[in-house]
Amino acid sequence: KAGVTQTPRYLIKTRGQQVTLSCSPISGHRSVSWYQQTPGQGLQFLFEYFSETQRNKGNFPGRFSGRQFSNSRSEMNVSTLELGDSALYLCASSPSRDRVGSPLHFGNGTRLTVT
Amino acid sequence: GENVEQHPSTLSVQEGDSAVIKCTYSDSASNYFPWYKQELGKGPQLIIDIRSNVGEKKDQRIAVTLNKTAKHFSLHITETQPEDSAVYFCAARSRAGSQGNLIFGKGTKLSVKP
């Protein structure tokens, strides 16, 4: 079974631009979550989607948004990029969201650099 | 909200020795505690997890223990090997249904010296 696939692996953008990152979950997984990873803050939860609906949202500004398609693939968008948005963005999928202990499986991330 | 503290931030051991990483959590309602291993250039990989109704779980050289009263849980790696070198993260989930909302510790960089 293929794992979680994230594209692109690397992105370089300038301040003020916007960016879209893509995530394909493991086949059959309907829950997709996004995390931001930085050396200073560690792994921070951005949002979670299930059945094309946002179910949870972390403490990030409205410049960060996402969506999920009917095939469970997800995209996240960051508008008006700031230098502090430079990070590794990780997508994780899970087979369900109602069962405690349903594990999260991460992709290898998209490394975003804002200059 | 939930807060997870992880110690130590770095750990260096000789090959064959044991390694122990400890985490504490703040929300007594937390009921799921996974551990992830992250190698350079890769995403975190789930290595073991435990639910709040279990005190200990083992998988070959890896074990996790949970003390609900003290609100702490630990990862034990025995007979460490160089390929165990990586960053390890503990995490806690406090609400059933909030699958994505894992709260992570800051990570422990484990170095295993041959």
Side-chain angles (χ1 to χ4, degrees), chain A:
Chain A
K1 216 178 214 185
V4 177
T5 304
Q6 291 188 247
T7 57
R9 285 298 310 274
Y10 303 94
L11 265 177
I12 299 176
K13 292 284 186 179
T14 56
R15 275 180 299 174
Q17 288 186 313
Q18 75 165 21
V19 67
T20 300
L21 312 182
S22 181
C23 171
S24 293
I26 292 172
S27 178
H29 285 195
R30 297 170 63 195
S31 172
V32 173
S33 299
W34 289 88
Y35 286 80
Q36 182 195 66
Q37 185 175 28
T38 59
Q41 298 299 318
L43 282 150
Q44 292 188 288
F45 172 70
L46 280 156
F47 27 64
E48 179 210 355
Y49 286 87
F50 184 84
S51 295
E52 302 176 66
T53 303
Q54 188 180 90
R55 303 295 177 140
N56 280 299
K57 191 177 190 305
N59 190 25
F60 278 82
R63 299 186 296 107
F64 292 82
S65 63
R67 59 177 176 168
Q68 186 181 32
F69 303 95
S70 57
N71 61 358
S72 294
R73 194 177 68 84
S74 178
E75 289 181 347
M76 68 163 280
N77 185 77
V78 189
S79 62
T80 321
L81 284 166
E82 300 176 0
L83 294 179
D85 296 333
S86 295
L88 180 67
Y89 289 88
L90 292 160
C91 171
S93 74
S94 181
S96 74
R97 68 182 309 273
D98 296 326
R99 188 169 62 86
V100 174
S102 187
L104 284 186
H105 299 273
F106 284 87
N108 287 329
T110 293
R111 172 74 62 186
L112 172 65
T113 302
V114 182
T115 62

Side-chain angles (χ1 to χ4, degrees), chain B residues 2-94:
Chain B
E2 175 65 282
N3 183 52
V4 177
E5 299 280 342
Q6 183 173 348
H7 300 279
S9 56
T10 60
L11 179 59
S12 183
V13 300
Q14 288 294 132
E15 183 177 358
D17 287 350
S18 294
V20 181
I21 302 170
K22 298 182 179 182
C23 289
T24 60
Y25 60 98
S26 60
D27 187 350
S28 57
S30 289
N31 53 14
Y32 175 64
F33 308 91
W35 286 88
Y36 286 85
K37 174 184 181 182
Q38 188 174 25
E39 297 173 320
L40 204 60
K42 296 187 177 181
Q45 177 188 10
L46 179 69
I47 55 172
I48 195 167
D49 56 11
I50 192 168
R51 301 186 194 184
S52 59
N53 59 349
V54 176
E56 183 175 0
K57 184 176 178 181
K58 284 185 79 171
D59 183 4
Q60 299 181 341
R61 296 185 299 108
I62 293 174
V64 57
T65 58
L66 171 66
N67 184 326
K68 283 193 297 181
T69 304
K71 289 191 281 188
H72 66 70
F73 56 114
S74 301
L75 178 71
H76 305 253
I77 305 174
T78 58
E79 300 171 23
T80 53
Q81 301 165 3
E83 50 265 39
D84 294 330
S85 296
V87 179
Y88 291 81
F89 294 94
C90 62
R93 179 186 296 148
S94 61

